[in-house]
Amino acid sequence: MSLLQELSIPALAALVFAAAFALGVAIQHGTTCAVRAMSELIRERRADGLLGFLECGLWALLVAWILTPEMAVPQWEPVGWLCLGAALFGAGATMNGGCAFGSIARLGEGRAEFLLTGAGAYLAFRILDALGRGRATLPEQSPVPENALFIVLVGLPLLIAMRFLFWRRPIGVVLKLSLLMAIIGIIGAFVGALHQPWPWMLALRFIGTSDWMTGLGLVGLVSGSIANGIVRGRFRLARPKLAAVRDRFTGGMLMGAGSALVPGGNDSLILQGIPSGSPLAFLAYGIVLAVIGVLLLTVPRFNVH
């Protein structure tokens, strides 16, 4: 039995909130975002941000290997719905101006209109429920890959070396990004080990049908991002323009529809899918990134990062 299963309810709740809060701080600190990373690839021909997400997944795998013999993994089939969902999520994230991680980071900057991202996603979840579509099932416990430790020990140094050698980034910048990805991967996986459903897009999917601790995790995540934004002087409340309100809500609906069909957003793919080694998770994440890239190239107003 995992030590986490022996925690009392108050201790578990405190850990969930504290870990989710710390995750919000980390996400806001680096404004981690797949849309931003793809924009950097297009504008500056640098993929080190994208490699960082693989690092994040490897750290999540290490946490799963240490804490428990099993890890929560969404069921990715059927393939057709997964591909459609990934494309919808990528399109929604681009229109929204931020992925699942990026939306939380923007809230920490005082961008209150990103609350509409969650509202749009929630509405999409409920519409799909009414239509009988979408995967409304909790992640299943799957065995951690037997060679998990070997993958981590080989993969992490390799990714760091690739970022340094291919893009000639200063070693301080490389290590800072690696540290940030380590923190997000470790804490994000830890919250998921404490309580499911998680990450936040998946948690939002089950609000109203899951227990109160799911909502506690969401509150902790947003609170951490806002707290970090205030401390660092990034938090600036301003009235959003009508176009921003439209893009956040519409983008959120597309992200929600995509998340329900995959199932899971890019946060689930990074913290659960990639660590599990599922080929379908890698396929879905590739489609998400490809759609983001195409839209950034063809619709200039989206490429504002």
Side-chain angles (χ1 to χ4, degrees):
M1 177 181 291
S2 168
L3 291 176
L4 299 179
Q5 295 176 305
E6 299 176 359
L7 292 172
S8 66
I9 296 299
L12 181 60
L15 268 178
V16 166
F17 181 84
F21 186 95
L23 181 59
V25 170
I27 289 173
Q28 206 287 319
H29 188 85
T31 55
T32 310
C33 181
V35 181
R36 181 186 292 271
M38 285 302 297
S39 179
E40 289 179 353
L41 178 62
I42 292 169
R43 288 180 171 185
E44 305 174 29
R45 300 295 187 267
R46 286 196 293 105
D48 49 344
L50 295 176
L51 291 177
F53 288 123
L54 294 177
E55 278 186 78
C56 188
L58 289 176
W59 282 108
L61 175 59
L62 180 63
V63 170
W65 180 81
I66 292 173
L67 290 181
T68 174
E70 294 184 329
M71 58 190 300
V73 180
Q75 303 308 297
W76 309 111
E77 297 177 318
V79 178
W81 288 117
L82 177 139
C83 293
L84 174 60
L88 288 174
F89 189 91
T94 310
M95 175 174 286
N96 181 56
C99 65
F101 289 117
S103 298
I104 298 299
R106 300 301 189 284
L107 281 174
E109 296 171 358
R111 302 282 297 279
E113 72 269 22
F114 276 89
L115 289 171
L116 293 172
T117 304
Y122 184 79
L123 178 61
F125 293 149
R126 300 289 77 84
I127 291 174
L128 287 173
D129 284 345
L131 295 175
R133 300 291 183 182
R135 304 294 299 280
T137 55
L138 286 168
E140 295 184 2
Q141 294 297 320
S142 301
V144 175
E146 293 182 0
N147 55 349
L149 185 60
F150 174 78
I151 294 172
V152 171
L153 292 178
V154 173
L156 285 176
L158 180 61
L159 289 171
I160 294 173
M162 287 176 62
R163 187 183 298 117
F164 177 70
L165 294 174
F166 290 171
W167 290 280
R168 296 296 180 183
R169 301 283 277 164
I171 189 63
V173 174
V174 170
L175 294 178
K176 181 179 179 180
L177 179 58
S178 293
L179 177 61
L180 177 65
M181 291 298 101
I183 293 172
I184 292 174
I186 291 170
I187 300 177
F190 181 64
V191 178
L194 289 171
H195 185 265
Q196 285 294 324
W198 193 262
W200 82 262
M201 286 291 291
L202 194 61
L204 186 65
R205 177 82 170 90
F206 288 92
I207 281 291
T209 60
S210 184
D211 62 35
W212 57 271
M213 216 171 294
T214 299
L216 183 67
L218 291 173
V219 171
L221 181 71
V222 174
S223 299
S225 179
I226 292 174
N228 190 63
I230 293 173
V231 169
R232 302 186 70 204
R234 288 183 172 184
F235 190 85
R236 296 285 189 278
L237 279 175
R239 179 178 296 179
K241 296 181 180 179
L242 183 60
V245 170
R246 176 200 63 207
D247 287 350
R248 300 301 89 80
F249 187 73
T250 305
M253 286 194 68
L254 290 173
M255 291 168 71
S259 177
L261 294 174
V262 168
N266 72 312
D267 50 357
S268 291
L269 292 170
I270 290 169
L271 295 175
Q272 297 171 331
I274 289 176
S276 75
S278 168
L280 291 177
F282 281 92
L283 171 64
Y285 196 60
I287 292 173
V288 168
L289 295 179
V291 170
I292 291 174
V294 169
L295 288 177
L296 289 179
L297 285 169
T298 57
V299 186
R301 77 180 183 87
F302 289 153
N303 199 352
V304 296
H305 293 273

